[in-house]
Amino acid sequence: MTKVMVVDDEIDVRKMLDLMMKNEGYDTEMAEDGSDFLEKVDSFNPDIVTLDVMMPGPTTVEILEKLKKKKSKPKVMLLTVVRFDGDEKKIFEQGNVVDYIKKPFDIDVLMDAVKKHE
Amino acid sequence: MDKTSEKDRISEMIDAIMRVARGDYSAQIERSGRDDDLDSLAVGINMMSNDIERDITERKKAEEKIREQNIQLKKLDELKTAFLNVTSHELRTPMTSIKGYVQMLLNQILGGLSDEQRQGLDVILRNTNRLDGLIQDILDVSRLESGTMKFIPKKTDIDTLVGQTVETMQASAGRKEITINADIEADVPGLIVDELRIKQVMTNLLNNAIKFSPDGTIINVKARKEKNDILFEIQDFGRGIPKDKQDKVFETFYQVDSGEDRKFGGAGLGLAVSKGIVVSHGGRIWVESREGKGSTFSFTLPLKPVKDVEGRFKAIDMFGLEKTEEEEND
Ligand SMILES: Nc1ncnc2c1ncn2[C@@H]1O[C@H](COP(=O)(O)OP(=O)(O)OP(=O)(O)O)[C@@H](O)[C@H]1O
Ligand SMILES: [Mg+2]
């Protein structure tokens, strides 16, 4: 079964994403920020991570840097309210970012993207 | 007066003038007290250096003030940017969970729905999207006005850009049985622009054209090369805009018929945002219209991209150059 990890500091959003993933039949795990995610990632070993941009604690770039040193190598989807330019995307993509989803999102857009990277 | 002391006086004066020329305005010549031409010259030199010194001090003070004001403005701008980023995040977060749960409910993921429940949720979703659009527009206007909107220019194919935009508008046009005709000049050159932002402009103009036209009419979309620009036109056969309101429609929150126009769910921001985006790209936007006959909104984008896309709109606004642009179009 495909494993999805949901990382978001907003509890309502986190639980909602978790429910959406479970409903599609994915095995899920939640983390409430970057540090929590980095702690849990190797034991859960997800295939896909939905990572919120702009959480308290480590920045997205820092999280992605530290993720590189982990055993687990999930594909990362960034959930964000901002647009990134080419240079920023280049940095993210070195950190295994495969997609960008704009918040607030259409459920179909999100689920299609997750399926694509399954 | 003997020749040598006269010579000394003259060389003293030359000295003083040279000091002034080099920027030392403290140069003063002691007066001889004799009421002769040389003494008048000394008085003149003293007055000159005093006046220059005063002018320079004043100018330095003014410059210092401007420098301080600039620092203040920059701080204000930074604050505004930070504020906008936080606002954007804080407003979007609740929208994310509202929109997500409504969609889950509507997809009946969380259980079956009666017709009434479905209708209620449809209304919530529609209004959530409307609110999200409004938040987006308000943030865009603020960013444009403070010169902090981020632009991501890339090589863009005009045919694709227009085609894709028209495509996304077909559904809402269809609801009013409105036909959109697109006429793109063959071999129209590509542009280096922020594609998403230009699509946003076209979407705003098309939305308006649909909104303010009666059922069953047509809308013509054209793009062609004209001199050093690409010219885009969106022509409708709707209610038109009175002559004296044609400049005003580009102002924030302005609506020709505030009672009637708000019923469509708009806030009067679409054209203000569009103008900001076009002007940032170095283009112009205007309208030609006759009441009861229809309107043609046109905008240009330069073939040669401008360098300072970001902040360009603000800069132009600040120096009041916008006015001359509007006047050109009259
Ligand atoms: N194609 C058009 N025909 C007639 N009137 C128009 C047209 N486009 C704009 N207007 C007038 O200009 C006003 C401002 O347009 P603008 O797009 O800025 O705001 P809006 O459409 O009312 O709201 P919003 O775009 O924020 O949803 C409109 O309310 C309308 O009165
Ligand atoms: Mg509008």
Side-chain angles (χ1 to χ4, degrees):
Chain A
M1 198 173 8
T2 308
K3 292 201 273 186
V4 181
M5 196 156 170
V6 174
V7 190
D8 202 304
D9 59 315
E10 282 287 331
I11 182 163
D12 289 342
V13 177
R14 186 165 71 239
K15 285 191 165 168
M16 176 182 83
L17 285 166
D18 186 65
L19 191 57
M20 285 175 179
M21 300 303 155
K22 277 205 171 78
N23 187 68
E24 288 291 322
Y26 298 121
D27 193 2
T28 67
E29 172 70 277
M30 292 185 267
E32 60 184 36
D33 57 32
S35 323
D36 191 26
F37 162 65
L38 291 165
E39 247 169 61
K40 291 175 177 169
V41 66
D42 272 344
S43 62
F44 184 64
N45 194 23
D47 304 288
I48 296 171
V49 176
T50 70
L51 185 66
D52 179 40
V53 176
M54 212 159 138
M55 290 184 290
T59 64
T60 306
V61 174
E62 285 164 2
I63 297 171
L64 293 172
E65 267 314 303
K66 288 189 178 138
L67 179 61
K68 278 186 194 163
K69 294 180 195 112
K70 297 281 176 187
K71 278 207 296 295
S72 180
K73 302 283 171 232
K75 292 179 182 167
V76 179
M77 295 172 51
L78 291 184
L79 266 59
T80 167
V81 297
V82 295
R83 285 176 76 199
F84 299 114
D85 61 30
D87 290 345
E88 290 164 316
K89 284 188 174 178
K90 224 176 263 166
I91 295 173
F92 290 145
E93 273 140 39
Q94 282 162 12
N96 220 13
V97 170
V98 293
D99 224 324
Y100 306 86
I101 306 286
K102 203 178 140 285
K103 276 180 166 182
F105 50 82
D106 270 321
I107 188 167
D108 297 340
V109 173
L110 175 76
M111 294 323 299
D112 286 351
V114 176
K115 255 175 225 137
K116 199 172 92 192
H117 301 298
E118 224 175 65
Chain B
M1 193 175 29
D2 60 77
K3 277 263 178 290
T4 40
S5 76
E6 204 166 86
K7 244 190 175 162
D8 281 354
R9 294 279 288 157
I10 291 173
S11 70
E12 197 189 338
M13 286 180 200
I14 292 174
D15 222 47
I17 291 173
M18 291 313 281
R19 274 167 66 191
V20 171
R22 291 200 191 92
D24 172 8
Y25 309 111
S26 67
Q28 290 287 315
I29 297 158
E30 213 173 304
R31 290 185 58 185
S32 63
R34 270 178 245 140
D35 200 9
D36 60 3
D37 282 352
L38 269 183
D39 201 43
S40 303
L41 195 56
V43 173
I45 291 172
N46 288 349
M47 273 168 70
M48 174 186 75
S49 61
N50 281 339
D51 282 0
I52 294 180
E53 187 165 28
R54 202 183 49 239
D55 282 0
I56 298 265
T57 328
E58 269 166 26
R59 203 168 75 201
K60 274 200 179 127
K61 264 191 206 148
E63 275 171 7
E64 186 53 37
K65 208 168 157 193
I66 289 175
R67 224 189 322 272
E68 265 169 32
Q69 278 170 346
N70 275 343
I71 294 171
Q72 291 285 330
L73 278 175
K74 228 179 136 189
K75 269 193 201 146
L76 224 86
D77 254 10
E78 279 162 14
L79 263 172
K80 208 165 168 184
T81 311
F83 173 77
L84 285 171
N85 287 341
V86 171
T87 315
S88 162
H89 185 256
E90 290 310 308
L91 291 172
R92 290 268 171 62
T93 303
M95 297 294 289
T96 304
S97 38
I98 296 173
K99 194 169 163 172
Y101 273 109
V102 172
Q103 291 179 100
M104 265 200 275
L105 288 163
L106 269 172
N107 289 0
Q108 314 214 12
I109 290 172
L110 309 173
L113 293 174
S114 71
D115 281 352
E116 281 85 359
Q117 286 168 334
R118 165 171 280 284
Q119 278 161 22
L121 289 167
D122 271 330
V123 173
I124 297 177
L125 183 59
R126 191 153 33 80
N127 282 282
T128 306
N129 287 335
R130 177 176 157 189
L131 193 56
D132 189 40
L134 188 60
I135 291 170
Q136 183 70 60
D137 281 348
I138 291 175
L139 289 170
D140 282 352
V141 161
S142 321
R143 291 208 167 103
L144 283 162
E145 282 178 350
S146 62
T148 54
M149 180 178 272
K150 186 166 161 182
F151 286 101
I152 307 175
K154 279 195 316 250
K155 183 98 188 152
T156 302
D157 179 57
I158 302 304
D159 218 8
T160 320
L161 179 132
V162 176
Q164 286 176 353
T165 315
V166 169
E167 191 51 44
T168 61
M169 301 308 293
Q170 290 296 3
S172 63
R175 278 194 282 277
K176 291 181 79 173
E177 281 166 30
I178 288 174
T179 314
I180 307 178
N181 297 319
D183 175 12
I184 314 302
E185 187 183 56
D187 302 325
V188 68
L191 289 173
I192 295 178
V193 291
D194 187 327
E195 189 178 348
L196 212 77
R197 293 296 181 190
I198 301 304
K199 276 184 179 168
Q200 188 180 351
V201 172
M202 291 204 65
T203 306
N204 284 341
L205 297 179
L206 279 168
N207 249 323
N208 287 347
I210 295 168
K211 204 156 62 168
F212 301 111
S213 293
D215 289 9
T217 52
I218 57 168
I219 292 170
N220 294 317
V221 180
K222 290 182 190 161
R224 64 172 179 278
K225 183 170 171 265
E226 204 160 277
K227 285 187 226 153
N228 300 322
D229 298 311
I230 304 279
L231 172 69
F232 298 80
E233 286 175 350
I234 285 108
Q235 178 187 34
D236 68 57
F237 298 93
R239 71 167 199 209
I241 302 168
K243 185 93 191 128
D244 59 320
K245 309 282 165 60
Q246 290 178 9
D247 277 348
K248 288 214 168 73
V249 293
F250 294 99
E251 292 170 8
T252 44
F253 297 110
Y254 184 82
Q255 295 181 309
V256 173
D257 181 346
S258 49
E260 200 51 38
D261 297 350
R262 225 177 296 280
K263 284 191 193 143
F264 294 110
L269 288 173
L271 289 177
V273 171
S274 303
K275 179 175 179 172
I277 294 172
V278 169
V279 172
S280 297
H281 278 86
R284 298 186 297 131
I285 184 165
W286 68 95
V287 61
E288 285 151 285
S289 177
R290 279 179 57 200
E291 257 189 288
K293 299 270 187 241
S295 315
T296 302
F297 279 85
S298 311
F299 68 94
T300 61
L301 293 173
L303 290 169
K304 197 165 157 266
V306 289
K307 284 198 186 74
D308 50 343
V309 192
E310 256 136 83
R312 190 181 168 82
F313 181 62
K314 184 180 78 166
I316 287 172
D317 207 0
M318 254 169 39
F319 296 120
L321 293 177
E322 258 189 296
K323 265 268 160 318
T324 50
E325 284 196 357
E326 272 165 15
E327 278 156 14
E328 269 171 34
N329 302 320
D330 282 345

